[in-house]
Amino acid sequence: MPLSRRTLLGAAALAPVALREAAAEPGVIRRPIPSSGEMLPAMGIGTSRRYEVEPAPEPVKPLREAVETFVRLGGTVIDTAPSYGTAEDVLGLILSEGDLRSKVFLASKVDTRGRDETRAEFARSLQRMRTDHLDLVAVHNLIDTKDNLAVLRDLKGEKKLRYVGVTVWRDNQFDGLEPVMRAEPLDFVQVNYAIDNRAAAERILPLAADKGIAVMINVPFGRDRLFNAVRGKELPPVAREIGCRSWPQFFLKYVLGHRAVTCPIPGMAKASYVEDNLGAAHDPLPDAGQRKQMEAFIDAL
């Protein structure tokens, strides 16, 4: 059975706050979208699995509380997809109340083939999320990439979306991702990267920095892999140096320690998870030496 993150909240005290990166005290770290210069809070919500519930008031209530807490604490980025079951419908319910939609950077995906089918899928996403535009739409898992990017650029020209990108979530997709990053003018890529799965740092993150592409990070906890690896373990001394109070913060601060990363998008289905994860998006972040210590600790488990 996957280990609950609740049991992994550590007790390390916060270290002194260092210089804030592109944000005023005492806010969440922000990083730029290179293609525009727009600044994004460096932590987002991923909705795969956790937001796939019945789109009705009771099942949605804890998710609404999570999103409201996220926005209150300075977060904006929420990532979803048509293939995530009812997640788009659930977000539509949540964001339709008050002015939440205006405070959120809403991202989704397309995974169809053919121009008409892709436009239809995009239209369904707008309808399900009760909005007239999206901030980012990415081609999911490199499906029909060239044609789908052409459709998304048309929609961008029509002011129905603001940024376009592509996504993968497995290392074996990098061979297909790299040529797309070199050939296409992308605003975003979304890739898998975690402290125990560092292949993206060798190939994809340096290329993104070179090409001026923003990077979202999916599965920064390796699903439940990392939580299970540290079962019963105390946070190492380096965690105190970088202000970590929990294992989730330890894992997320490692990811944010790579300067090509714009925004990790861990799943956050409870307000308490939001508070914990957003705590990682504050300085200090690990320097090169501290990142090596963090890697060595995890590699030795």
Side-chain angles (χ1 to χ4, degrees), residues 24-171:
E25 285 282 342
V28 172
I29 291 170
R30 292 175 177 265
R31 287 184 172 168
I33 302 171
S35 65
S36 69
E38 178 181 354
M39 305 299 291
L40 287 184
M43 191 64 63
I45 291 179
T47 60
S48 176
R49 300 192 300 170
R50 290 164 179 82
Y51 283 63
E52 297 177 37
V53 302
E54 181 186 358
E58 280 307 306
V60 169
K61 183 178 178 181
L63 302 175
R64 185 189 307 281
E65 292 173 352
V67 171
E68 289 173 346
T69 301
F70 177 68
V71 171
R72 176 173 57 80
L73 294 179
T76 65
V77 178
I78 300 179
D79 177 79
T80 191
S83 58
Y84 296 170
T86 58
E88 288 189 332
D89 299 287
V90 167
L91 285 175
L93 276 176
I94 294 171
L95 299 178
S96 65
E97 290 196 5
D99 60 349
L100 274 177
R101 174 64 187 98
S102 68
K103 298 177 179 179
V104 165
F105 182 100
L106 190 55
S108 193
K109 305 175 183 73
V110 292
D111 60 3
T112 49
R113 296 180 183 276
R115 296 182 65 90
D116 292 343
E117 289 79 2
T118 297
R119 277 188 165 270
E121 183 175 58
F122 175 81
R124 285 192 297 272
S125 290
L126 294 183
Q127 183 178 29
R128 294 172 77 184
M129 290 188 280
R130 308 185 189 191
T131 187
D132 62 358
H133 75 283
L134 293 175
D135 296 287
L136 163 65
V137 180
V139 178
H140 203 17
N141 284 321
L142 303 176
I143 295 173
D144 200 12
T145 303
K146 190 174 185 62
D147 286 344
N148 275 334
L149 281 175
V151 173
L152 294 182
R153 291 193 183 103
D154 287 346
L155 291 166
K156 184 177 180 179
E158 296 165 21
K159 310 298 184 185
K160 294 180 179 178
L161 59 89
R162 301 198 298 132
Y163 298 104
V164 302
V166 296
T167 78
V168 299
W169 68 281
R170 300 188 309 270
D171 294 0

